[in-house]
Amino acid sequence: MTFPRPARALCLPALAALLSLAPPLTASALAAEPPSRLDIQAQAELSVVPDRATLEARLWEHTPAVPQGAEREADAEALRQARQRLEERAAALIQRLEAEGLASEAITAGSLQVQPQHLPMARHDDDEGVPQVRTRLLRPVSIEVEDLAQLPGLLDALTEAGVNALDGVRYDLSDREAATDEALVKALEKARHKAKLMAETLGIELGEVIAASETRAPVFQPRMMAMSDARAEGAAPTEYRPGTITIEAGVNVSWALDDAP
């Protein structure tokens, strides 16, 4: 439906009158509006001393190397003998660790692993050599240490028991949750301190907290250390110091601002 031309002409003056009644919204007026909130971002680090550790060691035995293609003929008996030697060594190791005062439930012997290995060919003057094959039987051992004072003695026991590999020490905490909570509290306290400092300096009044979020959730990662024993003959035992574990946390907190008196 279309309006007659005179009706349109009457609407334009009325619209202009309404617009003249509204106050102008300028950039200076917007800039004069005081902020209604204060946003603070804070990060904190917490250094804690570990109170437990995990030792990882490996024992292995090999079957005799045989020419490739002939390993199946002698493999069954060779595997049986290698496994018997490995199990005897693992049992002796567990007994040695228990003699150091370690509880039996703190020792975990992993599953048996059977790995074929292809050895470099032994070349002779009159031929190109024959590829050799053998089988490695491996059993990992994991040791949970609740008292770090036991660590030097346990490392000595592993060495004396003839383990084939020591994969280092993983330091840990018995209560990870408490440590990550403490890191988060530290970040929140830092945010509150910064907010109060800014409010006092700027002459503004803090109201209630209206929003809070984590910018970096606390992440706990056990600390790995390679083991080294550089003691000389007759020297004092090596000290194993766990150092500290660092936990980082970050928060973003917003406060409402009260009107100044």
Side-chain angles (χ1 to χ4, degrees), residues 1-260:
M1 177 178 181
T2 59
F3 292 96
R5 187 176 299 276
R8 288 188 178 180
L10 291 174
C11 292
L12 293 177
L15 180 60
L18 290 174
L19 291 175
S20 64
L21 295 177
L25 192 61
T26 63
S28 59
L30 290 174
E33 288 292 330
S36 60
R37 59 189 287 167
L38 177 64
D39 297 324
I40 297 294
Q41 191 175 63
Q43 295 182 353
E45 290 186 354
L46 177 68
S47 296
V48 291
V49 178
D51 57 5
R52 62 178 300 178
T54 302
L55 299 178
E56 302 288 349
R58 287 175 291 161
L59 298 168
W60 62 67
E61 288 287 340
H62 293 108
T63 61
V66 296
Q68 186 173 357
E71 64 269 19
R72 292 185 178 181
E73 300 177 3
D75 199 42
E77 179 61 20
L79 283 174
R80 187 193 67 79
Q81 294 179 4
R83 181 171 183 176
Q84 182 178 354
R85 294 194 303 268
L86 182 61
E87 298 300 343
E88 291 175 354
R89 291 177 59 199
L93 173 61
I94 292 174
Q95 293 176 1
R96 179 72 174 82
L97 294 173
E98 290 177 344
E100 289 291 327
L102 202 63
S104 58
E105 57 268 18
I107 308 170
T108 302
S111 301
L112 180 67
Q113 302 175 20
V114 180
Q115 304 168 340
Q117 292 183 326
H118 296 268
L119 304 179
M121 291 184 296
R123 296 182 178 276
H124 302 283
D125 295 338
D126 55 347
D127 58 35
E128 296 183 355
V130 179
Q132 301 287 305
V133 180
R134 69 181 181 183
T135 301
R136 182 168 77 166
L137 288 83
L138 182 146
R139 187 176 291 280
V141 179
S142 180
I143 304 162
E144 300 292 336
V145 184
E146 300 293 340
D147 182 6
L148 295 185
Q150 292 181 296
L151 189 58
L154 293 174
L155 291 173
D156 289 341
L158 290 170
T159 304
E160 293 170 4
V163 295
N164 297 99
L166 287 173
D167 297 326
V169 184
R170 184 174 71 251
Y171 290 103
D172 206 336
L173 291 175
S174 56
D175 192 347
R176 297 186 182 185
E177 186 174 354
T180 54
D181 288 350
E182 187 177 350
L184 181 58
V185 169
K186 189 174 181 180
L188 290 169
E189 290 176 344
K190 188 174 181 179
R192 181 171 56 188
H193 172 75
K194 291 174 66 175
K196 289 182 177 180
L197 179 62
M198 292 181 68
E200 292 174 0
T201 304
L202 299 176
I204 55 180
E205 294 291 332
L206 289 178
E208 297 181 349
V209 174
I210 58 177
S213 61
E214 290 182 321
T215 58
R216 175 183 294 178
V219 176
F220 178 86
Q221 294 182 343
R223 184 166 181 261
M224 286 293 301
M225 287 187 64
M227 290 181 295
S228 61
D229 190 350
R231 80 181 79 175
E233 184 177 355
T238 302
E239 294 184 3
Y240 297 90
R241 300 187 179 185
T244 58
I245 298 173
T246 301
I247 305 173
E248 298 180 350
V251 296
N252 190 15
V253 186
S254 299
W255 278 265
L257 297 180
D258 291 341
D259 295 334

